[in-house]
């Protein structure tokens, strides 16, 4: 996955850097962690009910965290908040939980820490910001206290943090933000997908804050009220993920695009759409996109658009920005064979 306008020079797949020291051995140890954003191609909301989903890591939209042990205080420095970790605003509850859970896991309950976070990701837009920030922090804090986590430990801690943001996260975001390949996810299990590629995508930010927790609750309430109709839609979303998997392996871009459009419509019927998302998806289709859909929890956030090729992706991104998108990014999914 390559996103334009990135100056990230890390090796593909790198999500952890060893502790760093200053010029002298007595200088404090700085733990470093990185993670990426994500876009869901198929399976939003259905994945919560056991259906499969496909997610794409956005490897050049990055989060970087640094952690430095302190005697007592726990401090956070970020673009959204700087100050005492115990006083973070509610929207950063998962960030604080990532620090606290990792400190406890590495036996540093009585210690302090200074955590600095830098992120390319827009917050609350359905592109995995909370999971990516948590993943980077978990790695950075563990490294600062001399621990290198195995994948299972890392995932467990990210999920603890994600519960502060989303109550009952499926685990899809937590898996994808630390992967360098598309992810197939079902019932808590994830593995890499084969992609023939290349495929060109645009991500367009509606400028409307996504409301994942609210959207998940709305689908649950609708399912309780009309289980037959909702299950039919969830079943179809799962089937679209399976069909999309086969199309990715070919690849058959037109078939992927048709299924993206259907998924967008189904998600709207489940009550998680938004007029701003519908408008951007419509603009993309009018511009010749093969498909367009909301990505993530919905009720705001971003749309994911499949273009014909990289030049077309650039054209679509420019058009979407000119017609109301708060921001756009183009990305190419390369083959994995």
């Amino acid at each position: 996955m390559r996103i334009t306008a990135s100056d990230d020079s890390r090796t593909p797949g790198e999500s952890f850097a060893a502790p760093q020291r200053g010029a002298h051995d007595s200088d404090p140890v700085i733990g470093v962690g990185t993670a990426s954003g994500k876009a869901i191609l198929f399976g939003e909301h259905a994945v919560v009910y056991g259906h499969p989903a496909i997610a794409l890591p956005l490897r050049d939209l990055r989060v970087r965290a640094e952690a430095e042990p302190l005697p007592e205080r726990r401090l956070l420095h970020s673009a959204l908040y700087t100050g005492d970790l115990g006083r973070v605003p509610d929207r950063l509850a998962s960030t604080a939980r990532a620090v606290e859970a990792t400190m406890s896991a590495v036996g540093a309950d009585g210690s302090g820490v200074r955590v600095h976070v830098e992120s390319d990701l827009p917050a609350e837009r359905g592109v995995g910001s909370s999971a990516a920030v948590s993943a980077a922090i978990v790695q950075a804090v563990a490294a600062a206290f001399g621990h290198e986590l195995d994948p299972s430990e890392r995932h467990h801690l990210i999920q603890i943090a994600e519960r502060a943001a989303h109550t009952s996260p499926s685990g899809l975001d937590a898996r994808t933000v630390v992967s360098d390949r598309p992810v197939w996810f079902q019932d808590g299990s994830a593995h890499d997908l084969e992609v023939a590629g290349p495929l060109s995508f645009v991500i367009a930010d509606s400028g409307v804050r996504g409301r994942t927790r609210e959207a998940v609750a709305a689908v649950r309430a609708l399912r309780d009220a009309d289980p037959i109709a909702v299950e039919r839609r969830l079943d179809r979303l799962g089937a679209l993920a399976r069909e999309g998997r086969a199309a990715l392996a070919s690849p058959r871009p037109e078939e992927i695009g048709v299924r993206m459009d259907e998924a967008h419509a189904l998600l709207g019927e489940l009550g998680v759409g938004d007029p701003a998302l519908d408008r951007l998806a419509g603009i993309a289709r009018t511009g010749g996109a093969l498909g367009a859909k909301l990505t993530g929890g919905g009720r705001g956030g971003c749309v994911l658009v499949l273009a014909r090729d990289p030049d077309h992706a650039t054209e679509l991104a420019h058009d979407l920005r000119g017609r109301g998108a708060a921001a756009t990014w183009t990305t190419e999914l390369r083959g994995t064979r």
Side-chain angles (χ1 to χ4, degrees):
M1 179 69 69
R2 179 177 58 80
I3 297 179
T4 60
S6 171
D7 60 357
D8 195 324
S9 59
R10 284 179 288 273
T11 302
E14 180 185 9
S15 61
F16 172 78
Q20 300 177 350
R21 287 190 179 274
H24 305 285
D25 289 344
S26 60
D27 289 345
V29 172
I30 306 295
V32 179
T34 66
S36 72
K38 73 91 181 62
I40 298 179
L41 182 59
F42 294 111
E44 294 95 338
H45 293 284
V47 71
V48 176
Y49 299 96
H51 296 285
I54 296 173
L56 314 176
L58 307 177
R59 294 299 298 170
D60 293 310
L61 280 178
R62 305 289 289 176
V63 176
R64 177 183 171 89
E66 295 184 354
E68 175 188 354
L70 297 178
E72 295 180 356
R73 296 185 69 189
R74 295 185 178 183
L75 304 173
L76 174 66
H77 296 259
S78 74
L80 299 179
Y81 171 83
T82 293
D84 192 288
L85 193 69
R87 298 180 180 178
V88 298
D90 289 344
R91 65 187 296 203
L92 297 182
S94 61
T95 300
R97 192 72 186 102
V99 177
E100 294 162 355
T102 308
M103 297 282 282
S104 179
V106 302
D109 283 310
S111 299
V113 69
R114 179 186 290 109
V115 176
H116 181 82
V117 177
E118 295 181 353
S119 176
D120 300 328
L121 292 165
E124 299 174 317
R125 293 296 193 274
V127 289
S129 177
S130 66
V133 169
S134 296
I137 287 174
V138 163
Q139 290 287 26
V141 171
F145 289 90
H147 290 259
E148 184 169 352
L149 303 170
D150 65 36
S152 177
E153 293 169 328
R154 176 180 59 188
H155 179 72
H156 174 68
L157 291 170
I158 300 169
Q159 280 292 86
I160 289 175
E162 278 287 88
R163 291 186 191 104
H166 304 304
T167 306
S168 300
S170 67
L172 175 60
D173 283 17
R175 296 291 188 191
T176 308
V177 298
V178 295
S179 177
D180 61 355
R181 295 179 63 176
V183 170
W184 173 267
F185 184 92
Q186 187 172 16
D187 291 328
S189 178
H191 64 263
D192 293 342
L193 273 184
E194 180 179 303
V195 178
L199 296 168
S200 297
F201 291 94
V202 180
I203 302 155
D205 182 358
S206 69
V208 179
R209 287 172 55 184
R211 293 168 286 168
T212 298
R213 183 178 294 191
E214 178 184 308
V216 170
V219 173
R220 184 177 295 113
L222 187 61
R223 182 171 177 261
D224 291 342
D226 193 354
I228 293 175
V230 172
E231 286 294 344
R232 184 169 64 248
R233 290 172 172 84
L234 295 174
D235 288 347
R236 182 55 187 157
L237 287 168
L240 289 173
R242 295 184 182 90
E243 294 167 10
R245 179 181 185 175
L248 281 170
S250 297
R252 300 189 294 273
E254 293 80 6
E255 293 187 16
I256 296 169
V258 167
R259 285 160 178 79
M260 290 173 67
D261 289 342
E262 183 180 350
H264 183 82
L266 287 168
L267 290 165
E269 292 170 8
L270 290 174
V272 300
D274 182 90
L277 298 174
D278 292 341
R279 180 175 178 275
L280 291 178
I283 291 169
R285 294 184 191 114
T286 300
L290 299 178
K293 62 178 288 293
L294 69 84
T295 182
R299 296 199 169 185
C302 294
V303 293
L304 181 67
V305 177
L306 179 58
R308 295 189 299 268
D309 53 48
D311 289 341
H312 185 220
T314 300
E315 293 172 6
L316 286 171
H318 182 270
D319 189 31
L320 287 162
R321 283 197 309 276
R323 298 179 64 182
T328 59
W329 302 268
T330 61
T331 178
E332 185 175 0
L333 180 61
R334 297 189 181 279
T336 57
R337 290 176 179 173

PDB file of all heavy atoms in Angstrom, residues 276-301:
ATOM      1  N   ALA A 276     -23.273  13.652   3.665  1.00  0.00           N
ATOM      2  CA  ALA A 276     -21.979  14.097   3.141  1.00  0.00           C
ATOM      3  C   ALA A 276     -21.228  12.948   2.480  1.00  0.00           C
ATOM      4  O   ALA A 276     -20.574  13.126   1.442  1.00  0.00           O
ATOM      5  CB  ALA A 276     -21.135  14.697   4.263  1.00  0.00           C
ATOM      6  N   LEU A 277     -21.340  11.745   3.053  1.00  0.00           N
ATOM      7  CA  LEU A 277     -20.695  10.571   2.462  1.00  0.00           C
ATOM      8  C   LEU A 277     -21.374  10.197   1.147  1.00  0.00           C
ATOM      9  O   LEU A 277     -20.700   9.862   0.161  1.00  0.00           O
ATOM     10  CB  LEU A 277     -20.745   9.397   3.436  1.00  0.00           C
ATOM     11  CG  LEU A 277     -20.021   9.581   4.765  1.00  0.00           C
ATOM     12  CD1 LEU A 277     -20.291   8.394   5.684  1.00  0.00           C
ATOM     13  CD2 LEU A 277     -18.530   9.756   4.547  1.00  0.00           C
ATOM     14  N   ASP A 278     -22.699  10.234   1.136  1.00  0.00           N
ATOM     15  CA  ASP A 278     -23.434   9.922  -0.091  1.00  0.00           C
ATOM     16  C   ASP A 278     -23.053  10.897  -1.208  1.00  0.00           C
ATOM     17  O   ASP A 278     -22.900  10.501  -2.371  1.00  0.00           O
ATOM     18  CB  ASP A 278     -24.932   9.995   0.153  1.00  0.00           C
ATOM     19  CG  ASP A 278     -25.438   8.898   1.073  1.00  0.00           C
ATOM     20  OD1 ASP A 278     -24.733   7.880   1.234  1.00  0.00           O
ATOM     21  OD2 ASP A 278     -26.534   9.062   1.629  1.00  0.00           O
ATOM     22  N   ARG A 279     -22.918  12.155  -0.833  1.00  0.00           N
ATOM     23  CA  ARG A 279     -22.591  13.173  -1.842  1.00  0.00           C
ATOM     24  C   ARG A 279     -21.212  12.909  -2.436  1.00  0.00           C
ATOM     25  O   ARG A 279     -21.037  12.957  -3.664  1.00  0.00           O
ATOM     26  CB  ARG A 279     -22.650  14.557  -1.204  1.00  0.00           C
ATOM     27  CG  ARG A 279     -22.327  15.688  -2.170  1.00  0.00           C
ATOM     28  CD  ARG A 279     -22.524  17.056  -1.533  1.00  0.00           C
ATOM     29  NE  ARG A 279     -22.152  18.103  -2.468  1.00  0.00           N
ATOM     30  CZ  ARG A 279     -20.913  18.547  -2.635  1.00  0.00           C
ATOM     31  NH1 ARG A 279     -19.924  18.031  -1.912  1.00  0.00           N
ATOM     32  NH2 ARG A 279     -20.651  19.504  -3.515  1.00  0.00           N
ATOM     33  N   LEU A 280     -20.216  12.648  -1.602  1.00  0.00           N
ATOM     34  CA  LEU A 280     -18.871  12.401  -2.110  1.00  0.00           C
ATOM     35  C   LEU A 280     -18.827  11.132  -2.957  1.00  0.00           C
ATOM     36  O   LEU A 280     -18.156  11.093  -3.999  1.00  0.00           O
ATOM     37  CB  LEU A 280     -17.871  12.296  -0.948  1.00  0.00           C
ATOM     38  CG  LEU A 280     -17.592  13.585  -0.179  1.00  0.00           C
ATOM     39  CD1 LEU A 280     -16.618  13.318   0.965  1.00  0.00           C
ATOM     40  CD2 LEU A 280     -17.039  14.678  -1.098  1.00  0.00           C
ATOM     41  N   ALA A 281     -19.521  10.096  -2.506  1.00  0.00           N
ATOM     42  CA  ALA A 281     -19.563   8.860  -3.300  1.00  0.00           C
ATOM     43  C   ALA A 281     -20.205   9.120  -4.658  1.00  0.00           C
ATOM     44  O   ALA A 281     -19.737   8.606  -5.690  1.00  0.00           O
ATOM     45  CB  ALA A 281     -20.327   7.778  -2.542  1.00  0.00           C
ATOM     46  N   GLY A 282     -21.249   9.933  -4.691  1.00  0.00           N
ATOM     47  CA  GLY A 282     -21.905  10.255  -5.957  1.00  0.00           C
ATOM     48  C   GLY A 282     -21.006  11.058  -6.888  1.00  0.00           C
ATOM     49  O   GLY A 282     -20.975  10.807  -8.100  1.00  0.00           O
ATOM     50  N   ILE A 283     -20.265  12.011  -6.330  1.00  0.00           N
ATOM     51  CA  ILE A 283     -19.324  12.790  -7.145  1.00  0.00           C
ATOM     52  C   ILE A 283     -18.268  11.874  -7.755  1.00  0.00           C
ATOM     53  O   ILE A 283     -17.921  12.000  -8.937  1.00  0.00           O
ATOM     54  CB  ILE A 283     -18.657  13.884  -6.281  1.00  0.00           C
ATOM     55  CG1 ILE A 283     -19.681  14.962  -5.900  1.00  0.00           C
ATOM     56  CG2 ILE A 283     -17.473  14.512  -7.019  1.00  0.00           C
ATOM     57  CD1 ILE A 283     -19.187  15.928  -4.849  1.00  0.00           C
ATOM     58  N   ALA A 284     -17.770  10.939  -6.959  1.00  0.00           N
ATOM     59  CA  ALA A 284     -16.751  10.017  -7.462  1.00  0.00           C
ATOM     60  C   ALA A 284     -17.290   9.154  -8.592  1.00  0.00           C
ATOM     61  O   ALA A 284     -16.622   8.956  -9.614  1.00  0.00           O
ATOM     62  CB  ALA A 284     -16.244   9.141  -6.315  1.00  0.00           C
ATOM     63  N   ARG A 285     -18.498   8.653  -8.427  1.00  0.00           N
ATOM     64  CA  ARG A 285     -19.075   7.804  -9.481  1.00  0.00           C
ATOM     65  C   ARG A 285     -19.312   8.601 -10.761  1.00  0.00           C
ATOM     66  O   ARG A 285     -19.067   8.105 -11.866  1.00  0.00           O
ATOM     67  CB  ARG A 285     -20.375   7.171  -8.982  1.00  0.00           C
ATOM     68  CG  ARG A 285     -20.176   6.194  -7.834  1.00  0.00           C
ATOM     69  CD  ARG A 285     -21.476   5.518  -7.427  1.00  0.00           C
ATOM     70  NE  ARG A 285     -21.319   4.796  -6.182  1.00  0.00           N
ATOM     71  CZ  ARG A 285     -21.927   5.119  -5.039  1.00  0.00           C
ATOM     72  NH1 ARG A 285     -22.760   6.144  -5.008  1.00  0.00           N
ATOM     73  NH2 ARG A 285     -21.718   4.411  -3.941  1.00  0.00           N
ATOM     74  N   THR A 286     -19.787   9.838 -10.605  1.00  0.00           N
ATOM     75  CA  THR A 286     -19.977  10.693 -11.774  1.00  0.00           C
ATOM     76  C   THR A 286     -18.654  10.942 -12.490  1.00  0.00           C
ATOM     77  O   THR A 286     -18.614  11.074 -13.725  1.00  0.00           O
ATOM     78  CB  THR A 286     -20.604  12.036 -11.345  1.00  0.00           C
ATOM     79  OG1 THR A 286     -21.872  11.787 -10.725  1.00  0.00           O
ATOM     80  CG2 THR A 286     -20.800  12.959 -12.542  1.00  0.00           C
ATOM     81  N   GLY A 287     -17.575  10.969 -11.726  1.00  0.00           N
ATOM     82  CA  GLY A 287     -16.246  11.167 -12.294  1.00  0.00           C
ATOM     83  C   GLY A 287     -15.621   9.903 -12.857  1.00  0.00           C
ATOM     84  O   GLY A 287     -14.427   9.910 -13.201  1.00  0.00           O
ATOM     85  N   GLY A 288     -16.373   8.832 -12.928  1.00  0.00           N
ATOM     86  CA  GLY A 288     -15.872   7.604 -13.540  1.00  0.00           C
ATOM     87  C   GLY A 288     -15.289   6.587 -12.591  1.00  0.00           C
ATOM     88  O   GLY A 288     -14.686   5.595 -13.034  1.00  0.00           O
ATOM     89  N   ALA A 289     -15.453   6.790 -11.271  1.00  0.00           N
ATOM     90  CA  ALA A 289     -14.942   5.813 -10.312  1.00  0.00           C
ATOM     91  C   ALA A 289     -15.591   4.455 -10.536  1.00  0.00           C
ATOM     92  O   ALA A 289     -16.776   4.359 -10.886  1.00  0.00           O
ATOM     93  CB  ALA A 289     -15.195   6.277  -8.889  1.00  0.00           C
ATOM     94  N   LEU A 290     -14.834   3.396 -10.307  1.00  0.00           N
ATOM     95  CA  LEU A 290     -15.365   2.045 -10.445  1.00  0.00           C
ATOM     96  C   LEU A 290     -16.287   1.692  -9.293  1.00  0.00           C
ATOM     97  O   LEU A 290     -17.154   0.816  -9.430  1.00  0.00           O
ATOM     98  CB  LEU A 290     -14.214   1.039 -10.526  1.00  0.00           C
ATOM     99  CG  LEU A 290     -13.252   1.225 -11.699  1.00  0.00           C
ATOM    100  CD1 LEU A 290     -12.140   0.186 -11.631  1.00  0.00           C
ATOM    101  CD2 LEU A 290     -13.990   1.131 -13.021  1.00  0.00           C
ATOM    102  N   GLY A 291     -16.086   2.344  -8.156  1.00  0.00           N
ATOM    103  CA  GLY A 291     -16.919   2.104  -6.985  1.00  0.00           C
ATOM    104  C   GLY A 291     -16.565   3.082  -5.890  1.00  0.00           C
ATOM    105  O   GLY A 291     -15.469   3.650  -5.874  1.00  0.00           O
ATOM    106  N   ALA A 292     -17.509   3.295  -4.955  1.00  0.00           N
ATOM    107  CA  ALA A 292     -17.262   4.203  -3.832  1.00  0.00           C
ATOM    108  C   ALA A 292     -18.149   3.803  -2.674  1.00  0.00           C
ATOM    109  O   ALA A 292     -19.316   3.444  -2.864  1.00  0.00           O
ATOM    110  CB  ALA A 292     -17.537   5.653  -4.244  1.00  0.00           C
ATOM    111  N   LYS A 293     -17.602   3.865  -1.473  1.00  0.00           N
ATOM    112  CA  LYS A 293     -18.365   3.485  -0.286  1.00  0.00           C
ATOM    113  C   LYS A 293     -17.809   4.193   0.940  1.00  0.00           C
ATOM    114  O   LYS A 293     -16.656   4.612   0.961  1.00  0.00           O
ATOM    115  CB  LYS A 293     -18.306   1.980  -0.059  1.00  0.00           C
ATOM    116  CG  LYS A 293     -16.896   1.447   0.186  1.00  0.00           C
ATOM    117  CD  LYS A 293     -16.899  -0.055   0.449  1.00  0.00           C
ATOM    118  CE  LYS A 293     -17.462  -0.409   1.798  1.00  0.00           C
ATOM    119  NZ  LYS A 293     -16.576   0.086   2.898  1.00  0.00           N
ATOM    120  N   LEU A 294     -18.639   4.285   1.970  1.00  0.00           N
ATOM    121  CA  LEU A 294     -18.115   4.757   3.235  1.00  0.00           C
ATOM    122  C   LEU A 294     -17.151   3.714   3.779  1.00  0.00           C
ATOM    123  O   LEU A 294     -17.221   2.530   3.439  1.00  0.00           O
ATOM    124  CB  LEU A 294     -19.249   5.039   4.219  1.00  0.00           C
ATOM    125  CG  LEU A 294     -20.068   3.860   4.781  1.00  0.00           C
ATOM    126  CD1 LEU A 294     -19.397   3.210   5.998  1.00  0.00           C
ATOM    127  CD2 LEU A 294     -21.461   4.333   5.164  1.00  0.00           C
ATOM    128  N   THR A 295     -16.222   4.143   4.617  1.00  0.00           N
ATOM    129  CA  THR A 295     -15.277   3.212   5.211  1.00  0.00           C
ATOM    130  C   THR A 295     -15.193   3.484   6.697  1.00  0.00           C
ATOM    131  O   THR A 295     -15.063   4.633   7.117  1.00  0.00           O
ATOM    132  CB  THR A 295     -13.884   3.297   4.558  1.00  0.00           C
ATOM    133  OG1 THR A 295     -13.015   2.318   5.152  1.00  0.00           O
ATOM    134  CG2 THR A 295     -13.257   4.672   4.683  1.00  0.00           C
ATOM    135  N   GLY A 296     -15.339   2.450   7.509  1.00  0.00           N
ATOM    136  CA  GLY A 296     -15.317   2.630   8.949  1.00  0.00           C
ATOM    137  C   GLY A 296     -16.718   2.595   9.526  1.00  0.00           C
ATOM    138  O   GLY A 296     -17.655   2.070   8.925  1.00  0.00           O
ATOM    139  N   GLY A 297     -16.870   3.190  10.710  1.00  0.00           N
ATOM    140  CA  GLY A 297     -18.136   3.098  11.425  1.00  0.00           C
ATOM    141  C   GLY A 297     -19.278   3.822  10.764  1.00  0.00           C
ATOM    142  O   GLY A 297     -20.435   3.428  10.885  1.00  0.00           O
ATOM    143  N   GLY A 298     -18.999   4.899  10.066  1.00  0.00           N
ATOM    144  CA  GLY A 298     -20.038   5.637   9.375  1.00  0.00           C
ATOM    145  C   GLY A 298     -20.592   6.788  10.195  1.00  0.00           C
ATOM    146  O   GLY A 298     -20.033   7.192  11.200  1.00  0.00           O
ATOM    147  N   ARG A 299     -21.715   7.331   9.710  1.00  0.00           N
ATOM    148  CA  ARG A 299     -22.327   8.536  10.275  1.00  0.00           C
ATOM    149  C   ARG A 299     -21.319   9.686  10.286  1.00  0.00           C
ATOM    150  O   ARG A 299     -21.223  10.453  11.252  1.00  0.00           O
ATOM    151  CB  ARG A 299     -22.902   8.277  11.661  1.00  0.00           C
ATOM    152  CG  ARG A 299     -24.049   7.273  11.646  1.00  0.00           C
ATOM    153  CD  ARG A 299     -24.927   7.333  12.870  1.00  0.00           C
ATOM    154  NE  ARG A 299     -26.136   6.534  12.662  1.00  0.00           N
ATOM    155  CZ  ARG A 299     -27.144   6.462  13.527  1.00  0.00           C
ATOM    156  NH1 ARG A 299     -27.095   7.164  14.649  1.00  0.00           N
ATOM    157  NH2 ARG A 299     -28.194   5.719  13.261  1.00  0.00           N
ATOM    158  N   GLY A 300     -20.566   9.783   9.209  1.00  0.00           N
ATOM    159  CA  GLY A 300     -19.470  10.726   9.061  1.00  0.00           C
ATOM    160  C   GLY A 300     -18.207   9.976   8.701  1.00  0.00           C
ATOM    161  O   GLY A 300     -18.219   8.764   8.483  1.00  0.00           O
ATOM    162  N   GLY A 301     -17.107  10.696   8.613  1.00  0.00           N
ATOM    163  CA  GLY A 301     -15.835  10.060   8.308  1.00  0.00           C
ATOM    164  C   GLY A 301     -15.462  10.171   6.848  1.00  0.00           C
ATOM    165  O   GLY A 301     -15.625  11.229   6.232  1.00  0.00           O
TER     166      GLY A 301
END
